[in-house]
Structures are given as structure tokens and as C-alpha cells.
């Protein structure tokens, strides 16, 4: 797909921070489904004279995310005004961070062996939302001023697969840390890949292209992959024809499977950044950083290894546990296993049975026990037998090739899974029948 070119890809990922209040006012940040313009006040409406007060919870969550990626946390940090005009930004500027972001640097190893390198993680406010209805535009300010984390990587990705893997890991880790619900359908996590191509010679000389194209507001990993591929093809064609590629923002259009031009991209100096005069600079001491470090739980890539090593889950099950909605259920998993539910069973129920996900630990355990009482029910027992057989393909092969002794082992496995509740003679019949 790249032909003789090499891909240069960087990411900007915006996430809504999970806090009770908005970034600079006391409005309730949980606005989903609320009638338009009901979560507003003079500050998040951008009325003149309203004063912003930073949300410390959002600051701490941004720093926690920084620690997860090995960023350096800034001792001195501050907010800046980023000026641009848009109807959904009536102040004429967004309060963001420019010179002294909360978190600097950081990296993450990817399964390809490449390293994703972070530039920074900073905190800002989201804008309002415009609705275009025929000839008129309506604005809902409920989203205005919701805390927003922006994570920026260096142009370090050389394949779309690496970029998607990194984005998914960000998605996993913010949910594990409780930094963001990151529901992509609700726009709580949006990805903006910066894409350009260069020659192999430029790559060798470590020279970057003199342009980049930013694809805005991607809200699914599938679209991200499609958008990057469409953009690679478009840029390759232009470069092959000897054209230069303008620096601009584009959007991905699923119906045509192409990217379309939105606006030419501003340079940083167009924003006229300057320190936000209404908010004093922030100073953090070692004690604050230490307390955050102590809050940092095991990270998804660490949890995955532990599920295999300490709980005996297969690598496939462990990987799917940490890369989806279930990552938030790791605590439940550990607690129910602690109370005697076999690890494989607990994982299976949490991964595959939605009703179990919403149960308290006590109810979970009670429900599992209740189901064990009716182990005579051969349909359920049949399912466990099937699982044991598919978990032990080697033993099944041996049995099929005439090794009768292995049957006792398989029965034993089923008895263990049912915690002794099944009738061994029924189990034997079911195994032979399968
Ligand atoms: Zn407000
Ligand atoms: Mn931003």
C-alpha cells in the first residue's frame, strides 16, 4: 500500500475526564441525555466577567494517566488561552495548556517491538456542540467546559497497526484507571491521526516531511484504520504525480471511503497562546506525586500477565479480559475468585454473561453456588464437559487413540470445575458421548 514510501504517523487523542463537575465551574459534567442547555452557568457559557476555577480532580486524573505512561510530571504547570473563533466557543478562546503541560514525554512498548513515544498529556476544556438543522444552527452548551485530556504522541508510528494498538491501549488504560469512561459512541474518546509520507532516504536521514494531514474526530478503531489507509493512498498518488501535499485538516467519509478537506491547518502561532490570567500557575510537590504513584493500580499489560501466571487463565482469555469493557471488572473477578469461585469460571461468566457483570460480589458468588446445586441438570453439566474437553485437546487426542486411563483425568477435571457437585458416572457418560 505504501509503495516506495514510508509512513509517518502521530496521534492526538482527546478524552472526557470522568469527574462530577466541569473543568472550570460547578456544573454537573454528566450531561448525557439531558435536555439541551440545562448544564450551564455563566462560566461555561463564556459570559464576560465569569471566573474559571480549575477542577483538581481532573488535574489529578491527568497526572495519574501520565504516570501510567511513564511521563515526567511537571512541578510547575499552568493553563494558557488558545485563541480561535467558533460559534461553539463564545469566549473566543479555549483554556488549554501550551508551554507547561501537566505531563511530558513517556512511552509504551508495542507488540511489534516498536516503542510508542509520547510528546505530552495536557488538560483543557471541551467546546459546546453545534447542530445544523437546514438553514439554521443550534448550539447546546451542556458539553461546553467538560474536562478534556489531550494526549499527543511524537510522529513515531510507522504502521497503522501500531497506531491502532496504541490507541486501544490508551482506551483500556483510561477505563482501568477510572480517568475516562471513554465511550466512543458518546464521543468521550476521539482520535486524530496526523499522517504524512516520506521517502526511504528521508527516513534514513531522520528527516520529517514538511507537511502533515490531520484526520479529525475519529470515533472508532475500525474507522481509524480505514481513514489512515485512504489517506496513504491519496497522498501516495499525489506524490507520485509530483504534487506537493497541502497541510490541512480532513474528515473521513465512510460513504465514499475517502477523506475530505475541512480547513487548512493553523500553525501554533495563529492561536496567539498566552498564560491564562484568571488562573494562578499550579505548583506540585513530591508528596503529591508520591500519593498519586500509590494510587496507580497494575496496568492492563501487567494485569494480563498476572491473569495467566497467578490465575491460570489462557493467554487468549487474559487478553480479551483486559481489552474491552471487562477491564473494569478485574476487581470483581479477583474478589469472587477469593471467595472460592474457580478462576476460569469467573472469567467465563464475566466475559460472556452480561447479567453477571452487574452483580455485587456477594450476589455473584451466591448465583454461582445456586447454579452448582442443580448440577444434575445435564445441559449445564454438558457445557462444562465441553469446556473441559476443549481446554484439554491433548488428553482428548490420547483418549481417542486408545489411552483409556486419560478418561479418569478428564472426569477429574470436570469434577474440579463443578467443585465435586457432579455425578461422576454421568460425567463419564457425557465425555464418552462427546
Ligand atoms: Zn458551568
Ligand atoms: Mn485539544
Amino acid at each position: 500500500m505504501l509503495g516506495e514510501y514510508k509512513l509517518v504517523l502521530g496521534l492526538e487523542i482527546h478524552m472526557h475526564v470522568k469527574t462530577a463537575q466541569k473543568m472550570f465551574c460547578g456544573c454537573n459534567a454528566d450531561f448525557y441525555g439531558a435536555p439541551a442547555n440545562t448544564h450551564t452557568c455563566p462560566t461555561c457559557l463564556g459570559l464576560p466577567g465569569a471566573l474559571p476555577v480549575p477542577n483538581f480532580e481532573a488535574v489529578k486524573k491527568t497526572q495519574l494517566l501520565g504516570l501510567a505512561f511513564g511521563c515526567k510530571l511537571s512541578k510547575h504547570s499552568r493553563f494558557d488561552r488558545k485563541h480561535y473563533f467558533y460559534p461553539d466557543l463564545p469566549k473566543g478562546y479555549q483554556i488549554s495548556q501550551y508551554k507547561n503541560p501537566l505531563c511530558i514525554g513517556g512511552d509504551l512498548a508495542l507488540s511489534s517491538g516498536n516503542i510508542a513515544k509520547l510528546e505530552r498529556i495536557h488538560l483543557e476544556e471541551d467546546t459546546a456542540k453545534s447542530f445544523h438543522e437546514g438553514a439554521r444552527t443550534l448550539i447546546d452548551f451542556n458539553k461546553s467546559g467538560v474536562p478534556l485530556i489531550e494526549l499527543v504522541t511524537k510522529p513515531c508510528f510507522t504502521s497503522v497497526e501500531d497506531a491502532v494498538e496504541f490507541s486501544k491501549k490508551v482506551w483500556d488504560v483510561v477505563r482501568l484507571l477510572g480517568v475516562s469512561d471513554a465511550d466512543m459512541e458518546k464521543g468521550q474518546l476521539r482520535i486524530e491521526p496526523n499522517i504524512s509520507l516520506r521517502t526511504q532516504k528521508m527516513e534514513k536521514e531522520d528527516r520529517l516531511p514538511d507537511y502533515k494531514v490531520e484526520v479529525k474526530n475519529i470515533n472508532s478503531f475500525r474507522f481509524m484504520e480505514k481513514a489512515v489507509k485512504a489517506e496513504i493512498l491519496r497522498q501516495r498518488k499525489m506524490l507520485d504525480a509530483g504534487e506537493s501535499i497541502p497541510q490541512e485538516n480532513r474528515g473521513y467519509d465512510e460513504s465514499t471511503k475517502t477523506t475530505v478537506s475541512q480547513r487548512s491547518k493553523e500553525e501554533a502561532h495563529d492561536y496567539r497562546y498566552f498564560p491564562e490570567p484568571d488562573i494562578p500557575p499550579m505548583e506540585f510537590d513530591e508528596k503529591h506525586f508520591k500519593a498519586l504513584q500509590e494510587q496507580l493500580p497494575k496496568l492492563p499489560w501487567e494485569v494480563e500477565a498476572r491473569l495467566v501466571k497467578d490465575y491460570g487463565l489462557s493467554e487468549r482469555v487474559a487478553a480479551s479480559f483486559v481489552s474491552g469493557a471487562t477491564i473494569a471488572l478485574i476487581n470483581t473477578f479477583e474478589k469472587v475468585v477469593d471467595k472460592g469461585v474457580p478462576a476460569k469460571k469467573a472469567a467465563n461468566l464475566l466475559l460472556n454473561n452480561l447479567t453477571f457483570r452487574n452483580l455485587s460480589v456477594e450476589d455473584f458468588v451466591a448465583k454461582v453456588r445456586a447454579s452448582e446445586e442443580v448440577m444434575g441438570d445435564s445441559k449445564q453439566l454438558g457445557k462444562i464437559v465441553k469446556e473441559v474437553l476443549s481446554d484439554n485437546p491433548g488428553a482428548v487426542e490420547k483418549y481417542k487413540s486408545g489411552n483409556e486411563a486419560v478418561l479418569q483425568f478428564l472426569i477429574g477435571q470436570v469434577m474440579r470445575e463443578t467443585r465435586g457437585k457432579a455425578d461422576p458416572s454421568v460425567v463419564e457418560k457425557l465425555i464418552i458421548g462427546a
Side-chain angles (χ1 to χ4, degrees):
M1 153 165 297
L2 280 157
E4 58 184 305
Y5 301 101
K6 297 285 182 181
L7 176 66
V8 180
L9 196 161
L11 292 171
E12 287 173 23
I13 304 181
H14 283 93
M15 301 153 257
H16 276 175
V17 192
K18 190 178 179 177
T19 54
Q21 298 179 334
K22 289 190 182 179
M23 188 59 227
F24 297 113
C25 61
C27 289
N28 183 343
D30 185 14
F31 62 88
Y32 296 100
N37 296 308
T38 52
H39 290 230
T40 59
C41 72
T43 301
C44 57
L45 285 169
L47 299 186
L51 285 174
V53 177
N55 180 337
F56 190 38
E57 203 50 40
V59 170
K60 285 192 282 192
K61 289 196 166 176
T62 307
Q63 292 173 317
L64 198 62
L65 184 61
L67 286 178
F69 284 110
C71 306
K72 182 179 167 308
L73 301 191
S74 305
K75 281 188 170 173
H76 312 281
S77 184
R78 68 175 198 214
F79 289 100
D80 296 279
R81 291 187 178 181
K82 178 184 183 179
H83 296 85
Y84 63 99
F85 172 77
Y86 212 73
D88 62 20
L89 187 72
K91 296 200 297 293
Y93 60 87
Q94 177 194 32
I95 305 181
S96 180
Q97 297 197 281
Y98 184 51
K99 278 269 162 63
N100 303 97
L102 286 165
C103 317
I104 298 168
D107 51 41
L108 182 71
L110 301 172
S111 54
S112 63
N114 296 330
I115 310 270
K117 291 198 164 68
L118 281 71
E119 178 81 41
R120 57 194 275 143
I121 303 177
H122 71 246
L123 185 56
E124 56 189 33
E125 56 178 344
D126 206 352
T127 59
K129 188 173 166 61
S130 323
F131 295 88
H132 306 288
E133 283 186 359
R136 58 181 194 163
T137 294
L138 304 171
I139 303 185
D140 175 6
F141 280 86
N142 287 349
K143 185 165 77 72
S144 171
V146 166
L148 199 60
I149 286 176
E150 180 172 344
L151 182 156
V152 184
T153 74
K154 294 188 189 292
C156 59
F157 300 102
T158 51
S159 77
V160 63
E161 290 76 19
D162 278 1
V164 169
E165 182 187 334
F166 177 76
S167 307
K168 283 186 176 165
K169 287 197 161 148
V170 171
W171 188 54
D172 290 337
V173 82
V174 295
R175 285 174 302 136
L176 180 76
L177 299 178
V179 163
S180 173
D181 287 334
D183 184 331
M184 296 176 83
E185 277 174 20
K186 288 180 180 167
Q188 291 174 341
L189 184 139
R190 313 185 294 252
I191 306 172
E192 273 134 31
N194 291 302
I195 303 151
S196 43
L197 300 182
R198 61 180 168 184
T199 59
Q200 303 196 8
K201 184 164 175 281
M202 285 170 77
E203 190 180 69
K204 264 191 204 119
E205 293 167 1
D206 207 17
R207 274 192 297 131
L208 287 174
D210 57 2
Y211 74 96
K212 61 183 179 187
V213 173
E214 183 168 334
V215 184
K216 301 298 286 183
N217 282 328
I218 295 199
N219 64 355
S220 93
F221 300 117
R222 211 163 43 85
F223 279 4
M224 174 170 156
E225 199 168 330
K226 288 184 179 180
V228 173
K229 287 184 173 165
E231 193 50 29
I232 289 173
L233 290 178
R234 186 186 74 89
Q235 292 186 17
R236 187 184 156 188
K237 234 189 215 156
M238 290 180 75
L239 292 174
D240 280 346
E243 295 169 47
S244 64
I245 298 169
Q247 170 136 329
E248 61 180 349
N249 286 350
R250 299 177 72 89
Y252 179 65
D253 180 357
E254 170 65 3
S255 64
T256 60
K257 309 230 177 326
T258 56
T259 63
V260 273
S261 181
Q262 289 178 335
R263 61 181 162 93
S264 64
K265 172 78 179 164
E266 296 84 356
E267 299 286 339
H269 62 251
D270 293 327
Y271 291 123
R272 303 270 164 189
Y273 282 99
F274 67 71
E276 165 60 56
D278 289 334
I279 304 174
M282 296 175 279
E283 306 281 335
F284 304 99
D285 57 18
E286 285 304 327
K287 212 177 109 207
H288 172 74
F289 291 151
K290 221 180 135 222
L292 282 171
Q293 189 75 56
E294 277 159 15
Q295 265 184 50
L296 193 69
K298 289 261 181 272
L299 300 167
W301 38 97
E302 297 168 339
V303 172
E304 186 177 339
R306 190 161 46 100
L307 288 175
V308 174
K309 197 168 148 277
D310 297 351
Y311 291 98
L313 299 185
S314 71
E315 273 167 28
R316 186 182 53 82
V317 170
S320 56
F321 216 129
V322 299
S323 62
T326 43
I327 195 159
L329 300 169
I330 292 288
N331 279 334
T332 311
F333 169 78
E334 293 189 329
K335 283 183 188 143
V336 301
V337 171
D338 230 34
K339 292 208 186 309
V341 178
K344 277 184 194 164
K345 177 167 208 160
N348 181 31
L349 288 171
L350 287 169
L351 285 174
N352 302 318
N353 192 326
L354 281 177
T355 53
F356 276 85
R357 290 190 190 179
N358 300 318
L359 296 177
S360 69
V361 171
E362 287 68 31
D363 291 347
F364 189 109
V365 174
K367 202 163 173 179
V368 170
R369 296 249 158 86
S371 73
E372 282 166 350
E373 304 301 328
V374 291
M375 210 29 89
D377 174 357
S378 63
K379 197 174 161 194
Q380 197 181 1
L381 190 55
K383 199 166 160 256
I384 292 172
V385 168
K386 256 196 195 145
E387 281 169 12
V388 165
L389 294 183
S390 69
D391 281 349
N392 295 283
V396 172
E397 246 355 276
K398 274 190 199 151
Y399 177 71
K400 278 186 183 159
S401 58
N403 184 342
E404 298 265 350
V406 108
L407 183 59
Q408 281 314 311
F409 164 77
L410 289 169
I411 294 171
Q413 292 300 305
V414 175
M415 294 308 288
R416 211 185 68 175
E417 284 297 321
T418 60
R419 307 192 337 148
K421 294 274 167 65
D423 178 352
S425 64
V426 178
V427 174
E428 182 172 340
K429 260 190 238 152
L430 284 171
I431 293 178
I432 294 171

